[in-house]
Amino acid sequence: LNEKLSPPPPRHSFEHFTEHPELFDQYHVGFRKQVLEWPTNPVDVIYKKIVNGWKKDRVGAEKKGEKSRKGGEKKVVVADFGCGDAKLAERLLALRAGSDGQTLTQAASKKKKTQSKDQHQTSLSCPFEVFSFDLVAGGNPLVKAADMSDVPLRDESVDVAVYCLALMGTNVADFVREAWRVLVFGGTLRVAEVRSRFETASAEMSATGKTETKGRGGGKRGKLNNGKKHYHPKKIVNSLDGDDKDSPQQPLMLLDEFISLMERCGFQSTNMDRSNKMFLFMDFVKANGSKGLSDKERFTAKPCIYKRR
């Protein structure tokens, strides 16, 4: 089932699982079991990033007096591409903004609400609006079935876009392009992926094992392990693997190509976290004045192909 998601173009996957939704259910049953074995759940990491980002921005929002159309605090609009069971939306929508506008609390359960005498607590609103997309909704009211490269959102309508283990298919560029389209300028794209899918030798390696330059994303860029300056982010965590950082023989990796693709699309890398043994976490900001990615651009990460037992 995973192979049905990884190699095909996004439109093919959407059509296949729309015709056979039971296969998508089977996929997520296996996925849930797998998550339990992971030392870290990437959804937890992204959830904390979004919450911490909200808290950090509150002081500035208060000074600017930003209000929503309904007259309350301006909500942070989140789009979760490839959301699965929509656990991120479930957790974000359960939060309530405190009366000070800078703290978050968990919403009380229905039972507790009926027993509570604190009417102010029940009147607090959620500061997030979340749109969750996946190939099949599966009866989940939080999920909207859609092709991840063509979601039903307006241009520049999203503050935070998320791809959590969701950059599947043969053309990741389609997903990058769609995230750029829906994000506001200055909006954030948060990506979590399996390290092995990106930390593999680039297709630009010649038969001699040397890096060749091909187009705008070629070898003229610094090697991934050859220094932090390659990404120009504000903060990079554990970007160097090994002690041979000055070795000229280190190959250009798919991650180099991906970062180059993101830059050409108009995204600026603000954080690269490779401290987790299994997962890679990347944060990008949609740069003001950027024009998006050409329709001719292509990029494919290494497919998630598991050994058969």
Side-chain angles (χ1 to χ4, degrees):
L1 290 176
N2 193 78
E3 293 176 21
K4 290 288 186 180
L5 284 170
S6 295
R11 171 57 63 178
H12 181 277
S13 296
F14 179 59
E15 293 174 350
H16 180 80
F17 283 99
T18 298
E19 294 174 0
H20 306 282
E22 71 281 0
L23 296 181
F24 200 68
D25 292 337
Q26 293 174 23
Y27 170 82
H28 279 289
V29 168
F31 183 81
R32 292 185 202 104
K33 292 180 179 178
Q34 194 174 37
V35 169
L36 296 176
E37 299 177 1
W38 293 343
T40 302
N41 186 341
V43 172
D44 295 339
V45 176
I46 290 181
Y47 167 79
K48 291 178 181 178
K49 283 176 175 285
I50 293 175
V51 169
N52 289 338
W54 179 88
K55 293 178 179 178
K56 183 178 179 180
D57 292 342
R58 284 314 88 196
V59 174
E62 285 290 329
K63 290 181 179 179
K64 294 178 181 179
E66 293 181 354
K67 301 292 181 179
S68 69
R69 298 186 187 93
K70 296 181 180 180
E73 288 294 329
K74 183 179 183 297
K75 289 182 180 289
V76 175
V77 180
V78 179
D80 187 3
F81 295 80
C83 64
D85 294 332
K87 294 299 182 183
L88 181 62
E90 188 177 293
R91 294 176 66 179
L92 289 175
L93 294 176
L95 296 174
R96 297 293 179 268
S99 57
D100 61 357
Q102 298 181 26
T103 58
L104 292 172
T105 58
Q106 287 288 329
S109 65
K110 292 183 179 180
K111 183 176 180 180
K112 289 183 178 180
K113 283 183 179 180
T114 58
Q115 296 176 347
S116 175
K117 295 182 180 180
D118 187 358
Q119 297 300 321
H120 177 65
Q121 173 66 24
T122 61
S123 66
L124 298 179
S125 63
C126 177
F128 299 101
E129 182 177 7
V130 186
F131 295 95
S132 303
F133 303 103
D134 215 319
L135 299 176
V136 177
N140 189 330
L142 295 177
V143 181
K144 172 71 174 179
D147 176 355
M148 299 307 102
S149 63
D150 184 21
V151 298
L153 289 176
R154 293 180 291 103
D155 294 355
E156 300 174 29
S157 60
V158 171
D159 299 300
V160 181
V162 174
Y163 273 107
C164 184
L165 308 183
L167 293 176
M168 313 287 275
T170 56
N171 192 14
V172 172
D174 288 339
F175 303 139
V176 172
R177 194 178 293 109
E178 185 68 352
W180 183 92
R181 181 186 71 80
V182 303
L183 275 170
V184 298
F185 286 101
T188 302
L189 172 60
R190 301 195 184 279
V191 177
E193 266 301 339
V194 178
R195 290 184 63 164
S196 60
R197 295 193 64 218
F198 286 82
E199 295 180 353
T200 187
S202 166
E204 297 180 12
M205 293 295 293
S206 68
T208 61
K210 295 182 180 180
T211 302
E212 296 179 338
T213 300
K214 288 187 179 181
R216 297 177 64 183
K220 69 178 181 178
R221 298 176 53 77
K223 306 298 185 295
L224 175 67
N225 294 334
N226 204 24
K228 297 181 180 181
K229 64 181 181 180
H230 170 60
Y231 294 108
H232 305 290
K234 295 178 181 177
K235 178 183 179 184
I236 298 180
V237 181
N238 195 28
S239 64
L240 302 179
D241 288 341
D243 299 324
D244 57 343
K245 63 180 181 178
D246 296 322
S247 172
Q249 299 302 318
Q250 293 175 11
L252 185 73
M253 292 199 286
L254 281 175
L255 185 53
D256 293 86
E257 291 187 20
F258 180 69
I259 295 297
S260 180
L261 179 85
M262 297 299 287
E263 291 175 348
R264 295 197 300 277
C265 186
F267 284 108
Q268 295 178 347
S269 175
T270 57
N271 184 58
M272 174 70 66
D273 186 348
R274 299 171 65 205
S275 61
N276 189 283
K277 292 183 178 180
M278 289 184 62
F279 303 110
L280 170 69
F281 298 95
M282 298 174 276
D283 297 325
F284 302 91
V285 170
K286 179 177 174 179
N288 291 329
S290 58
K291 303 298 184 181
L293 198 63
S294 166
D295 291 338
K296 297 180 180 180
E297 293 278 5
R298 295 290 182 269
F299 177 84
T300 302
K302 182 180 178 181
C304 286
I305 305 298
Y306 296 92
K307 293 181 179 179
R308 300 182 184 277
R309 291 182 172 87

